[in-house]
Amino acid sequence: MRGLTRRTSVLAVCAILMVSVPARAVSLAINEVMASNSETKADPQGQYDDWIEICNYGGTPVDTGGLYLTDDPNDPTKWRIPATDPALTTIAPGGYLLIWADGDTQAQGLHAGFKLSAAGEELALFDADGATPIDVMTFPKLSE
């Protein structure tokens, strides 16, 4: 996702936590978040939901299916990226994956089972074992 809204509700982050993880996951980072989306990008249902962008800064494609994303690092398996559609969950080298953070897991596309808070919070991406962190980032309270 490129471009900022007129509001200061976008926080672009390249927070990479260097940890020992399997080679297939080491090139991933939570790249951008949008908490309090009201006009930037609509989901497949036409709603302006919050979103999280994961970047593959490596040189090979990475299928994120089976990894976990959470807004509570004490609950690392809060939401599992579906492992049933690699065409939807594979990130090309240098590419990005957008995940809607609206709690609507039955909707078309990738919709996490939680919402983001404009008051700020911590996000984490965990490997398929549900215990090994791949990336952790915190974003502060966003201006209104």
Side-chain angles (χ1 to χ4, degrees):
M1 307 297 323
R2 296 292 167 244
L4 302 176
T5 64
R6 284 173 265 151
R7 296 181 176 187
T8 55
S9 60
V10 172
L11 178 64
V13 180
C14 267
I16 302 167
L17 178 65
M18 299 307 287
V19 294
S20 176
V21 296
R24 73 177 192 90
V26 79
S27 64
L28 300 176
I30 300 170
N31 187 59
E32 290 185 48
V33 299
M34 169 68 86
S36 191
N37 181 16
S38 61
E39 61 187 28
T40 302
K41 182 168 179 68
D43 70 7
Q45 293 72 40
Q47 300 169 338
Y48 289 90
D49 294 317
D50 299 343
W51 47 260
I52 300 162
E53 182 182 84
I54 299 173
C55 174
N56 174 5
Y57 61 88
T60 59
V62 176
D63 183 0
T64 62
L67 302 182
Y68 291 93
L69 189 62
T70 183
D71 64 345
D72 180 1
N74 293 318
D75 183 5
T77 61
K78 189 168 189 176
W79 180 72
R80 184 175 186 243
I81 299 172
T84 56
D85 189 354
L88 183 65
T89 58
T90 298
I91 310 173
Y96 304 90
L97 179 67
L98 190 74
I99 297 173
W100 302 102
D102 62 359
D104 188 6
T105 59
Q106 300 305 310
Q108 177 186 5
L110 294 174
H111 292 258
F114 58 87
K115 297 180 180 185
L116 298 180
S117 171
E121 63 184 312
E122 191 170 23
L123 295 172
L125 180 66
F126 283 85
D127 202 355
D129 64 7
T132 306
I134 294 170
D135 191 28
V136 179
M137 63 86 67
T138 301
F139 65 91
K141 179 179 179 180
L142 303 176
S143 302
E144 295 183 21

